[in-house]
Structure formats: C-alpha cells, structure tokens
Amino acid sequence: MKSLIVYFSHSGTTRRLAGLIAKETGGDLLELVPEIAYPRDYSTVVAQAKRELQSGYRPVLKTAFPDLSAYDMVFVGTPNWWSSPAPPVLTFLEQAGQSGVQIAPFCTHGGGGSGHIRRDMEKASHGAVLLPELSVYGDSGRAADVQKWLKKINFAKS
C-alpha cells in the first residue's frame, strides 16, 4: 500500500511519531507548516490554540497538498490541543479533497488521550473513511506500538 503521513507538530513530539510511522510503512512524510508560526512559549500557544479552536479559525498553510488519490492510505497526525486536532490539521482536512480516501488518525497528548479528535477529523474530512486512531502519551510511542496499530488497521506495507 502506498501511504502518506501528514502531520502538524508544535514541539516535535508528533513529528517523532510521524517518523516512526513512516519508517514502519515506507510512506511519504508531509509536514503541515502554517504561514505564521505558532509561538514557542507554552502558555502563549495554549491560549492561542484555545481561541482558534473556539472561533473555528483555520490558518493558511505553506504546505502544498499532493493528490491524495495517489495514496492507498493517508495517516494524519496532530497534537491534542484542547481535546481537538490542531487547527493546521483541520485546514488540511477541510481543503485537501479526500473523499473516499482511507485516513488513519494519530495523536500525541499530555494526558488527555485522543479527546474528540476522531470526531472532529470525521467532520472536517468530507467523505473520507476514518480508521481506528493511535493515541500516544507524550514521547512514549515506540515502533512496537506503531506495528500493533498498523496490524489493527490492516495496513500492509508495499
């Protein structure tokens, strides 16, 4: 199966997990980069994320989207921000045109689990088929966790 691993990472934790998934799947990596970077200060970014999620704000991205129909599976990763996907991920899901595409969501969190990330991704993804998600606490994700999840979602590496 040809796969694409799309992700947004603020602190590097979700980037690390995306890298593990890419290594296990042989998929292409695509980082979502907002035109205006998020602040590095934790308190400031937490407050900004809350405002953006409450208002439905979708940041403009620097990242160009590939033709998703070229992929059998699209993995979409996000940090858990206020129990939701980060706004750059929602921008991607709302704009990428993935009707009929299989999406395997994954998230990193600091204790909130996957929150309502799956529900929000389903709502934003316009007809994509969402598979069971992988939720990883902090930087604790290991190759074995990814392998177990890939087996659960029936992903077969090309």
Side-chain angles (χ1 to χ4, degrees):
M1 294 181 80
K2 185 171 168 125
S3 62
L4 175 67
I5 300 93
V6 179
Y7 68 94
F8 169 75
S9 186
H10 178 259
S11 67
T13 303
T14 307
R15 179 181 299 114
R16 184 183 164 285
L17 184 57
L20 284 173
I21 294 168
K23 185 176 180 183
E24 293 297 324
T25 63
D28 300 331
L29 277 169
L30 179 68
E31 183 173 11
L32 301 174
V33 180
E35 277 191 0
I36 300 171
Y38 282 91
R40 298 307 312 162
D41 176 69
Y42 180 77
S43 308
T44 306
V45 77
V46 166
Q48 180 176 334
K50 185 175 187 177
R51 283 191 311 274
E52 288 181 0
L53 289 164
Q54 288 175 337
S55 71
Y57 175 76
R58 301 294 182 257
V60 175
L61 302 176
K62 292 181 187 179
T63 310
F65 305 152
D67 177 7
L68 298 185
S69 68
Y71 296 93
D72 302 300
M73 177 83 68
V74 179
F75 296 88
V76 179
T78 184
N80 175 334
W81 280 5
W82 295 99
S83 295
S84 298
V89 172
L90 294 169
T91 297
F92 168 76
L93 290 171
E94 291 174 357
Q95 295 178 1
Q98 65 277 11
S99 180
V101 170
Q102 286 194 92
I103 293 180
F106 64 97
C107 75
T108 56
H109 63 88
S114 58
H116 44 79
I117 287 173
R118 179 186 174 79
R119 181 198 71 195
D120 293 351
M121 284 187 171
E122 282 178 323
K123 191 175 176 181
S125 64
H126 308 297
V129 177
L130 265 77
L131 301 172
E133 70 273 4
L134 173 65
S135 178
V136 172
Y137 176 77
D139 231 1
S140 69
R142 303 288 175 252
D145 301 321
V146 171
Q147 291 163 359
K148 182 179 177 182
W149 175 57
L150 292 173
K151 186 174 182 177
K152 179 179 180 178
I153 63 172
N154 298 316
F155 181 84
K157 188 174 176 179
S158 315

